[in-house]
Amino acid sequence: MAKKRPTKLSDQIRDAMDNSGLTRYRIAKDIGMNESALGKFYNGERGLSTKMLDRLGEYLGLAIVQQYRQKKSKKGE
């Protein structure tokens, strides 16, 4: 069975961290972040500042791709 894509941006970032082959310690040190803070983000205990999200996204080579959803039509239209 195919793995379902995560829908939340934070889940996608966590997956990218997992798939990077790097430890959270290494990622945190390379982007200048406290490893404990990154661990708390990873475990869903806290969020990250936009500054840290930018650093993390750039470090992991992430890009946001907007997907448009089709609007559901109202009945009778």
Side-chain angles (χ1 to χ4, degrees):
M1 184 185 293
K3 185 178 177 183
K4 186 178 177 184
R5 285 181 156 183
T7 55
K8 290 183 179 179
L9 185 58
S10 57
D11 290 336
Q12 292 179 51
I13 293 169
R14 289 180 191 99
D15 280 353
M17 290 171 61
D18 289 341
N19 294 328
S20 72
L22 301 167
T23 64
R24 289 192 306 251
Y25 176 82
R26 177 77 285 157
I27 294 169
K29 292 300 174 193
D30 287 350
I31 66 171
M33 182 179 190
N34 181 293
E35 194 257 335
S36 176
L38 185 60
K40 287 179 180 181
F41 165 76
Y42 185 87
N43 293 322
E45 297 170 11
R46 66 172 277 183
L48 294 177
S49 70
T50 54
K51 181 179 177 180
M52 283 299 126
L53 284 171
D54 286 346
R55 286 185 186 178
L56 184 56
E58 186 176 335
Y59 181 80
L60 295 171
L62 301 178
I64 293 177
V65 177
Q66 186 172 5
Q67 295 179 343
Y68 294 95
R69 297 183 191 193
Q70 289 182 338
K71 293 182 180 179
K72 294 181 181 180
S73 62
K74 295 179 183 176
K75 290 185 179 181
E77 286 184 16

